[in-house]
Amino acid sequence: MAPILFGRLSAMAIRFEDVKPKIGARVVWDKREDLFTEEAAAVIRAKVEERTVLVFPQLNLSDEEQVQLTELIGPRQRMHVDKTTGEVLDIYQVTLDAKINPQPEYVLGTFFWHMDGITVDAPPSFATLLSCRRKAPKGGQTEFASTYAAYEGLPEAEKAELEGLRAVHSVKASLSHIADAIPQRDYDAVTKIGLVKEHPIVWTHQSGRKSMVVGTTADHIVGQSVPEGRATLVRLQEWAAQPDYSYRHEWQEGDFVVWDNTGAMHRVIPYDRNSGRMMHRTSIHGHESVA
Ligand SMILES: [Fe+2]
């Protein structure tokens, strides 16, 4: 039976296929334009929250289309400033190519599990959106780990132990793995980024669902010795990264991926800085602080 309302028609023209039992969905569409509607955007947003990562295989978005889709799912977050011109960018180019990215060292931090925007004084982005413009011949896959699924999978006794615990997150902690690779001329400026933020380890979202806030930014646990707290944080990160809760995306050029930054860590498998790998990135504002 044909749906009567155009809005229902366009939403129903998109289907989803689960990638793994606890994480990931592939988007299937009949007509490309069906993705660019308010109804489709609402369905996509709900699916991102439900499945953590959405893959649109070889959608081949132009920058204008990526901005449009980001605004539809929205609200779009414009968070990147061109360091030379001061201009706020619509699209951030994720690359290790020093001709485009004058400080590729920052990108090296993405080789390690993290959540975006966890050390700043604003709610973390709801979602990050990436288009693959050029893939690396070797490496460069992006991995996602659902911190919702990881929390749900913890034994009840461990959930009880985490209740009320808070962790200190810092840019300094997130740079610890790459500090030795930062050139001397940038070292002080980069390592002295003094952003520090305390968050509960268990994030109870407004929806009632719970996730964990872990990753390389997590430095220690408030009220515990540094080694003890750090060991717990590393163990929780390892727990979340196990295959049942995580997904590795093998990029094809043109793929578009959206993930829920509030319920997932992500990282990239190392790739060569001369590989030509180029990702175009946009972000969606978060409306919830970690609580
Ligand atoms: Fe990131």
Coordinates of all heavy atoms in Angstrom, one line a residue, residues 117-147:
G117 N 35.7 16.7 22.4 CA 35.2 17.9 23.2 C 34.9 17.6 24.6 O 34.0 18.2 25.2
I118 N 35.7 16.7 25.2 CA 35.3 16.3 26.6 C 36.0 17.1 27.6 O 35.7 17.1 28.8 CB 35.6 14.7 26.7 CG1 34.6 14.1 27.6 CG2 37.0 14.5 27.2 CD1 33.3 13.9 27.0
T119 N 37.0 18.0 27.2 CA 37.7 18.8 28.1 C 37.4 20.3 28.1 O 38.0 21.1 28.7 CB 39.3 18.7 27.9 OG1 39.6 19.0 26.6 CG2 39.8 17.3 28.2
V120 N 36.4 20.6 27.2 CA 36.0 22.0 27.1 C 34.7 22.3 27.9 O 34.0 21.4 28.3 CB 35.8 22.4 25.6 CG1 37.1 22.3 24.9 CG2 34.7 21.6 25.0
D121 N 34.5 23.6 28.2 CA 33.4 24.0 29.0 C 32.1 24.1 28.2 O 31.5 25.2 28.2 CB 33.7 25.4 29.7 CG 34.3 25.1 31.1 OD1 33.9 24.1 31.7 OD2 35.1 25.9 31.5
A122 N 31.7 23.1 27.5 CA 30.5 23.1 26.8 C 30.0 21.6 26.6 O 30.9 20.7 26.8 CB 30.7 23.7 25.4
P123 N 28.7 21.4 26.4 CA 28.3 20.0 26.2 C 29.1 19.4 25.1 O 29.3 20.1 24.0 CB 26.8 20.1 25.9 CG 26.4 21.4 26.4 CD 27.6 22.3 26.3
P124 N 29.6 18.1 25.2 CA 30.3 17.5 24.1 C 29.4 17.4 22.8 O 28.1 17.3 22.9 CB 30.5 16.1 24.6 CG 30.3 16.1 26.0 CD 29.4 17.2 26.3
S125 N 30.0 17.5 21.6 CA 29.2 17.4 20.4 C 28.3 16.1 20.5 O 28.8 15.1 21.0 CB 30.1 17.2 19.2 OG 31.1 18.2 19.1
F126 N 27.1 16.2 19.9 CA 26.2 15.1 19.8 C 26.8 14.1 18.8 O 26.9 12.9 19.1 CB 24.8 15.4 19.5 CG 24.0 14.3 18.9 CD1 23.8 13.2 19.7 CD2 23.6 14.2 17.6 CE1 23.1 12.0 19.2 CE2 22.9 13.1 17.1 CZ 22.7 12.0 17.9
A127 N 27.2 14.6 17.7 CA 27.7 13.7 16.6 C 28.8 14.3 15.8 O 28.9 15.5 15.6 CB 26.5 13.3 15.7
T128 N 29.6 13.4 15.3 CA 30.7 13.8 14.3 C 30.3 13.1 13.0 O 29.8 12.0 13.0 CB 32.1 13.4 14.8 OG1 32.2 13.9 16.2 CG2 33.2 14.0 14.0
L129 N 30.6 13.8 11.9 CA 30.2 13.3 10.6 C 31.4 13.4 9.7 O 32.1 14.4 9.6 CB 29.1 14.1 10.0 CG 27.8 14.3 10.8 CD1 27.9 15.5 11.8 CD2 26.6 14.5 10.0
L130 N 31.8 12.3 9.1 CA 33.0 12.2 8.2 C 32.7 11.7 6.8 O 32.0 10.6 6.7 CB 34.0 11.2 8.9 CG 34.9 11.7 10.0 CD1 35.9 10.5 10.3 CD2 35.7 12.9 9.6
S131 N 33.2 12.3 5.8 CA 33.2 11.8 4.5 C 34.6 11.4 4.1 O 35.5 12.2 4.3 CB 32.8 12.9 3.5 OG 31.4 13.1 3.5
C132 N 34.7 10.3 3.5 CA 36.0 9.8 3.0 C 36.3 10.3 1.6 O 35.6 9.9 0.7 CB 36.1 8.3 3.1 SG 37.7 7.7 2.4
R133 N 37.2 11.3 1.5 CA 37.5 11.8 0.2 C 38.7 11.0 -0.5 O 38.7 10.8 -1.7 CB 37.9 13.3 0.3 CG 36.8 14.2 0.7 CD 35.6 13.9 -0.3 NE 34.5 14.9 -0.1 CZ 34.4 16.0 -0.8 NH1 35.2 16.2 -1.8 NH2 33.3 16.8 -0.6
R134 N 39.6 10.6 0.3 CA 40.7 9.8 -0.2 C 41.1 8.9 1.0 O 41.4 9.3 2.1 CB 41.9 10.7 -0.6 CG 42.8 9.9 -1.5 CD 43.6 10.8 -2.4 NE 44.8 10.1 -2.9 CZ 45.9 10.6 -3.2 NH1 46.1 11.9 -3.1 NH2 46.9 9.9 -3.6
K135 N 41.2 7.6 0.7 CA 41.6 6.6 1.7 C 43.0 6.3 1.7 O 43.7 6.5 0.6 CB 40.7 5.4 1.7 CG 41.0 4.5 0.5 CD 40.1 3.2 0.6 CE 40.6 2.1 -0.3 NZ 40.1 0.8 0.0
A136 N 43.6 5.9 2.8 CA 45.0 5.5 2.8 C 45.1 4.1 2.2 O 44.3 3.3 2.4 CB 45.5 5.5 4.3
P137 N 46.2 3.9 1.5 CA 46.4 2.6 0.9 C 46.6 1.5 2.0 O 46.2 0.4 1.9 CB 47.7 2.7 0.1 CG 48.2 4.0 0.3 CD 47.3 4.8 1.0
K138 N 47.1 2.0 3.2 CA 47.3 1.0 4.3 C 46.9 1.8 5.6 O 47.3 2.9 5.8 CB 48.8 0.6 4.3 CG 49.1 -0.4 5.4 CD 50.5 -1.0 5.1 CE 50.9 -2.0 6.2 NZ 51.1 -1.4 7.5
G139 N 46.2 1.1 6.5 CA 45.7 1.8 7.7 C 44.6 2.8 7.4 O 44.0 2.8 6.3
G140 N 44.4 3.6 8.4 CA 43.4 4.7 8.2 C 41.9 4.3 8.5 O 41.0 5.1 8.4
Q141 N 41.7 3.0 8.9 CA 40.4 2.6 9.3 C 40.0 3.4 10.5 O 40.8 3.7 11.4 CB 40.3 1.1 9.5 CG 40.7 0.2 8.4 CD 42.2 -0.1 8.5 OE1 43.0 0.6 9.0 NE2 42.5 -1.3 7.9
T142 N 38.7 3.7 10.7 CA 38.2 4.3 11.9 C 37.5 3.2 12.8 O 36.7 2.5 12.2 CB 37.3 5.5 11.7 OG1 38.0 6.4 10.8 CG2 37.0 6.2 13.0
E143 N 37.8 3.2 14.1 CA 37.2 2.3 15.0 C 36.3 3.1 16.0 O 36.6 4.2 16.4 CB 38.2 1.5 15.8 CG 39.0 0.6 14.9 CD 39.9 -0.4 15.7 OE1 40.4 0.0 16.7 OE2 39.9 -1.6 15.3
F144 N 35.2 2.4 16.3 CA 34.2 3.0 17.2 C 33.9 2.0 18.3 O 33.8 0.8 18.0 CB 32.9 3.4 16.5 CG 33.1 4.2 15.2 CD1 33.3 3.6 14.0 CD2 33.2 5.6 15.3 CE1 33.5 4.4 12.9 CE2 33.4 6.4 14.2 CZ 33.6 5.8 13.0
A145 N 33.8 2.5 19.5 CA 33.4 1.6 20.6 C 32.2 2.2 21.4 O 32.3 3.3 21.8 CB 34.6 1.4 21.6
S146 N 31.2 1.4 21.5 CA 29.9 1.9 22.1 C 30.1 1.9 23.6 O 30.2 0.8 24.2 CB 28.7 1.1 21.7 OG 27.6 1.4 22.6
T147 N 30.1 3.0 24.3 CA 30.2 3.1 25.7 C 28.9 2.9 26.4 O 28.8 2.7 27.6 CB 30.9 4.4 26.2 OG1 30.1 5.5 25.6 CG2 32.3 4.5 25.7

